[in-house]
Amino acid sequence: MKLTLKLTTYSKLVLLIMGICSLFLLLFISLYLYTVQQEKEVFKVNSDQYKTEVNRLFDFNSKTQIVTINDLTYWDALVNFTKSKDTTWFNRYIVNEFPTYEVDYIGVYNLNKKLIANTSKGNFKSKNFIPSQAMMYLYRTKFSRFYMLVPEGVVEVFGGTIHASNDPKKLKTKPSGYMFMARLLDQKYFKNLEDISTSKIQLLDKVDMDTIGNKKVTSVIKLRNSDNMVVAKLLFERPSHLNFEKTKELLLIIVIVTLISLIAAVHYSRKWVYKPLKLVTTILESDREISISLLKKEPGEFGYIGNLFEDHRKNRFQLEKSKEKAEESDKLKSTFLANLSHEIRTPMNAIIGFSDLLMDDKLSDELKNKYLKIINTNGKSLVSIIEDLIEMSKIDAKQIAPKFKGLNIEKCLNELYNTLKVTIPDDKDIKFYQLKNSVKLPNDVLTDEIKLKQVIVNLLTNAIKFTDDGHVAFGYNICQNNKFLEFRVEDTGIGIGEKDLKVIFDRFRRVEDDYSISLSGLGLGLSISKAYVEMLGGEITVESVFGGGSVFKFTIPLYYDETVHEQDDNLPEIAYNEYESKTILVAEDDNINFLLLKTILEKKSHIVLRAKNGQEVVDMSASDSNIDLIFMDIKMPVLDGYEAFEIIKKDNPDLIVIAQTAHSSAEVKESIMKAGFSGYVTKPLDKEKIFELMNQIFQNSSIS
């Protein structure tokens, strides 16, 4: 009683509802269980009766053959036949009467178990198939009935010992021989048996089916051979016609309705009274998001209160998130800017410092050349840093997609080898070589040549950078059932520590030690390589021991290029006189860039004209027919390079136009060539590449 007084009104209401419903549930469950028990008992009785009936009908189905074999085997004429073996008599009295016996085979054996004569239906090919142990058993029992497996199927065999007519019980005399009848368990047999048993019958070979079917009574007859071994089974099935389902369904419906009523009563009492207030309490105590979400779903004023709680929580969460993001962004920005400042200032310090030293008129030519090489090297380093930053930003913005085309891997690796071996510093004792691959690729491989080369170059450059002596080697092999190409770059350099292996592919992360601090780089090379490998459909891994060298491996899918490429090897080689003077129009809005290109071109005695915007290029090319070549800056005022190029090509389609751009990405280069430019050069300008491109273009123009 005291406990009841301590309960809330809601708890008392719930206890009352549950008590009433529990009584009804117990009643209905008891009725249901009683019905199920009765159904089982009735089904068992019905099943036992069915099994008895099936056994009797099965034996009755063989009654005719049993009577026939018993009548024939105490026949004086048959006794004489076992001795005389008179086939004329056998054909007259056995073969002629064979159709009346309703069997498929009759065979007569002597006491030595030798077949004397037999007859069978046309579809029954087996002859001497009765085993000797069956005859030994028959000698003792005088009559036997068993089953066998023959090529035609399962047969029912009836056997009897042969005696004179004065010994009908076969007890006075010894048998003169054996007679067997066999009946094939075919469709006709099963049809007749199904008709008399009103059942569906299946022949089961070596299958245990002594189970009660769902809503069916079943009986299994085991067919045994002369050794009492089961050779097959007959499954008899008949609908049980028991109809307890409606009663059980009704009881189940009542139970379900009662449970639903109980659940509904408890649910709505909680929903309308207890739950909203409990949610408000939980929100005020713990500020749980799920509690606010649940409160919002409540009708009326509780839902409105939930919306107010959510707005308050979102505002606070947004403030916290903004604070964390600002702190993280500030930290990353500081770290990145510090690293970037160091990496940019290092080459800039060399460029500005040695440029200042070059102003000294007293410098020897040797020192001037040395300082110029230093300036050139650091300028390239600065460009490399900027290109890495741009490339990583494009990867983050998903602006880069692989361009798959056929690539000769062997040729590609040979080119990289020849290119990189000359970059190894003279002060490093490094053996640089390619790893041999015993299996050669039969065709070009579909992949992105630029990205694949960039990955290999990045890995080899790092290997050379961090190796002072030993070897740097690279190569490939075919793996995983010819589905992947695995590339390998190994070195005997300083190696990577275990803690650094986990972050080696993260951007802006470098191995920080006394050796690596002395080397430049933002730590983006491996991040870009990893992104490229994943674009190509592969993955990259590294194995390394600090002080013991490193092995980088990456894979790409192996797809062969099926495209047929036509090559014309009969083009004549026409050498272009690279010193022949040409009139060249340079479209460049920047004075410094124009001055540089003008100076480079005038070294070969070319006449250089200038246009400061795209419209001037169009006008000058239309008015001056002596212009042989245009260097077109892609980014210009009035008209950009693409627009000016399109107009020029309409009026003068044969005019040679080379694009110049500060963008070095593969996508920009591809768009330039796709637009129809004769070629392109990238800034910073390389005079050797410019002259090589001009030679190639004018040579092709002469051939055509």
Side-chain angles (χ1 to χ4, degrees), residues 288-544:
R288 295 177 60 189
E289 182 180 2
I290 188 172
S291 299
I292 296 175
S293 177
L294 292 173
L295 186 61
K296 283 176 57 183
K297 297 177 182 179
E298 297 296 328
E301 62 275 12
F302 287 111
Y304 178 71
I305 294 173
N307 288 325
L308 294 178
F309 275 124
E310 183 181 49
D311 292 341
H312 174 72
R313 190 176 187 278
K314 282 183 178 179
N315 292 334
R316 190 179 71 255
F317 178 76
Q318 193 64 35
L319 289 173
E320 293 174 354
K321 188 176 181 181
S322 298
K323 179 183 176 183
E324 292 175 359
K325 189 174 181 180
E327 291 175 349
E328 181 182 3
S329 176
D330 185 63
K331 182 179 179 181
L332 289 175
K333 183 176 67 175
S334 299
T335 303
F336 170 68
L337 289 177
N339 192 18
L340 180 62
S341 175
H342 172 267
E343 296 301 331
I344 290 179
R345 284 177 180 273
T346 298
M348 285 301 297
N349 179 58
I351 293 170
I352 296 173
F354 283 99
S355 297
D356 185 57
L357 292 176
L358 284 173
M359 295 179 184
D360 187 355
D361 296 335
K362 299 179 181 180
L363 279 179
S364 64
D365 292 339
E366 181 180 356
L367 283 177
K368 287 182 180 180
N369 291 332
K370 180 179 179 181
Y371 294 166
L372 286 172
K373 288 181 180 179
I374 294 173
I375 293 171
N376 183 268
T377 300
N378 283 272
K380 291 179 179 179
S381 298
L382 186 60
V383 171
S384 176
I385 292 172
I386 295 172
E387 286 181 346
D388 281 351
L389 289 172
I390 294 173
E391 198 69 12
M392 184 54 68
S393 66
K394 288 184 177 181
I395 291 173
D396 290 340
K398 302 186 185 303
Q399 294 179 350
I400 298 179
K403 309 295 182 182
F404 293 102
K405 62 179 181 179
L407 175 64
N408 187 320
I409 297 296
E410 294 286 345
K411 181 179 178 182
C412 173
L413 296 186
N414 289 334
E415 290 176 354
L416 291 177
Y417 171 77
N418 293 326
T419 301
L420 291 174
K421 70 178 180 180
V422 299
T423 65
I424 300 176
D426 296 334
D427 59 344
K428 292 195 175 189
D429 184 17
I430 298 176
K431 293 181 180 179
F432 183 54
Y433 59 89
Q434 293 189 65
L435 300 171
K436 299 299 182 183
N437 183 19
S438 58
V439 180
K440 301 298 181 182
L441 293 170
N443 202 351
D444 290 353
V445 175
L446 279 177
T447 188
D448 188 315
E449 177 181 2
I450 295 175
K451 292 178 176 54
L452 177 62
K453 284 184 175 180
Q454 187 63 51
V455 174
I456 299 175
V457 168
N458 285 349
L459 297 179
L460 287 173
T461 302
N462 277 352
I464 294 170
K465 182 190 299 184
F466 291 99
T467 303
D468 287 332
D469 54 53
H471 74 269
V472 173
F474 70 105
Y476 76 95
N477 58 65
I478 304 172
C479 60
Q480 296 186 17
N481 299 324
N482 296 332
K483 292 183 178 179
F484 288 91
L485 281 182
E486 181 183 74
F487 293 85
R488 177 187 182 96
V489 175
E490 62 180 50
D491 64 69
T492 56
I494 63 172
I496 305 169
E498 183 177 355
K499 65 181 182 66
D500 293 315
L501 283 175
K502 300 177 181 178
V503 297
I504 194 68
F505 293 108
D506 294 346
R507 64 190 60 182
F508 307 116
R509 298 296 295 267
R510 297 174 56 199
V511 178
E512 299 295 342
D513 54 31
D514 293 339
Y515 187 91
S516 62
I517 288 174
S518 64
L519 302 175
S520 63
L522 283 175
L524 292 177
L526 289 178
S527 299
I528 294 173
S529 298
K530 181 175 184 292
Y532 280 173
V533 170
E534 291 174 351
M535 283 183 196
L536 297 178
E539 59 182 16
I540 187 169
T541 58
V542 59
E543 300 173 2
S544 183

Side-chain angles (χ1 to χ4, degrees), residues 30-302:
S30 299
L31 290 174
Y32 180 82
L33 294 176
Y34 176 76
T35 302
V36 171
Q37 184 63 31
Q38 286 296 106
E39 181 183 20
K40 289 181 179 179
E41 291 179 0
V42 173
F43 187 87
K44 185 176 183 305
V45 171
N46 193 9
S47 181
D48 291 342
Q49 290 176 350
Y50 179 68
K51 290 178 180 179
T52 302
E53 176 187 345
V54 165
N55 287 327
R56 290 177 179 175
L57 290 174
F58 183 73
D59 292 337
F60 176 76
N61 189 47
S62 302
K63 198 69 177 177
T64 300
Q65 287 73 24
I66 294 173
V67 172
T68 300
I69 194 72
N70 285 330
D71 287 345
L72 291 177
T73 53
Y74 58 91
W75 186 9
D76 293 335
L78 187 58
V79 172
N80 293 332
F81 172 72
T82 61
K83 299 174 182 178
S84 66
K85 301 180 180 57
D86 184 2
T87 57
T88 303
W89 179 89
F90 184 82
N91 292 333
R92 181 178 179 183
Y93 292 100
I94 300 298
V95 176
N96 289 342
E97 297 298 325
F98 177 71
T100 64
Y101 298 149
E102 298 182 5
V103 294
D104 297 288
Y105 170 84
I106 292 179
V108 179
Y109 292 77
N110 60 22
L111 286 180
N112 293 327
K113 306 180 185 65
K114 301 296 183 180
L115 178 65
I116 300 173
N118 70 284
T119 183
S120 62
K121 290 184 178 180
N123 62 338
F124 196 89
K125 304 299 182 182
S126 299
K127 303 298 181 186
N128 188 11
F129 60 88
I130 304 298
S132 59
Q133 56 266 36
M135 299 182 198
M136 295 172 59
Y137 174 75
L138 181 58
Y139 186 88
R140 297 192 304 272
T141 60
K142 313 303 180 185
F143 171 79
S144 65
R145 175 187 170 202
F146 59 92
Y147 297 85
M148 292 181 61
L149 289 174
V150 296
E152 289 78 12
V154 181
V155 293
E156 183 180 27
V157 182
F158 306 91
T161 54
I162 301 172
H163 295 263
S165 59
N166 61 356
D167 188 12
K169 293 186 179 180
K170 305 180 180 181
L171 298 175
K172 298 177 182 180
T173 60
K174 291 184 178 180
S176 300
Y178 310 100
M179 185 176 190
F180 291 94
M181 291 183 175
R183 178 169 57 164
L184 184 63
L185 275 59
D186 54 10
Q187 294 298 326
K188 181 180 178 183
Y189 173 87
F190 288 119
K191 181 66 171 61
N192 180 56
L193 196 56
E194 286 178 347
D195 290 341
I196 64 175
S197 64
T198 63
S199 303
K200 182 181 178 182
I201 303 173
Q202 299 180 50
L203 178 63
L204 309 174
D205 294 333
K206 300 179 182 180
V207 179
D208 186 9
M209 283 294 296
D210 288 331
T211 57
I212 297 177
N214 184 25
K215 298 182 182 179
K216 293 180 181 179
V217 287
T218 61
S219 178
V220 177
I221 300 294
K222 298 179 179 179
L223 307 181
R224 301 179 183 272
N225 60 14
S226 58
D227 294 330
N228 203 33
M229 302 294 293
V230 177
V231 296
K233 298 177 183 180
L234 290 182
L235 174 65
F236 290 75
E237 291 182 334
R238 180 193 292 169
S240 63
H241 302 297
L242 295 176
N243 192 13
F244 284 82
E245 297 301 320
K246 296 295 182 183
T247 304
K248 291 192 291 184
E249 288 176 3
L250 179 61
L251 290 173
L252 281 174
I253 290 173
I254 295 175
V255 170
I256 292 171
V257 170
T258 304
L259 287 173
I260 292 174
S261 300
L262 171 62
I263 294 171
V266 173
H267 171 73
Y268 284 106
S269 61
R270 284 180 61 85
K271 183 176 181 180
W272 293 334
V273 180
Y274 173 78
K275 186 178 177 181
L277 294 177
K278 181 65 176 176
L279 289 173
V280 171
T281 304
T282 302
I283 292 169
L284 293 173
E285 291 176 350
S286 61
D287 193 28
R288 295 177 60 189
E289 182 180 2
I290 188 172
S291 299
I292 296 175
S293 177
L294 292 173
L295 186 61
K296 283 176 57 183
K297 297 177 182 179
E298 297 296 328
E301 62 275 12
F302 287 111

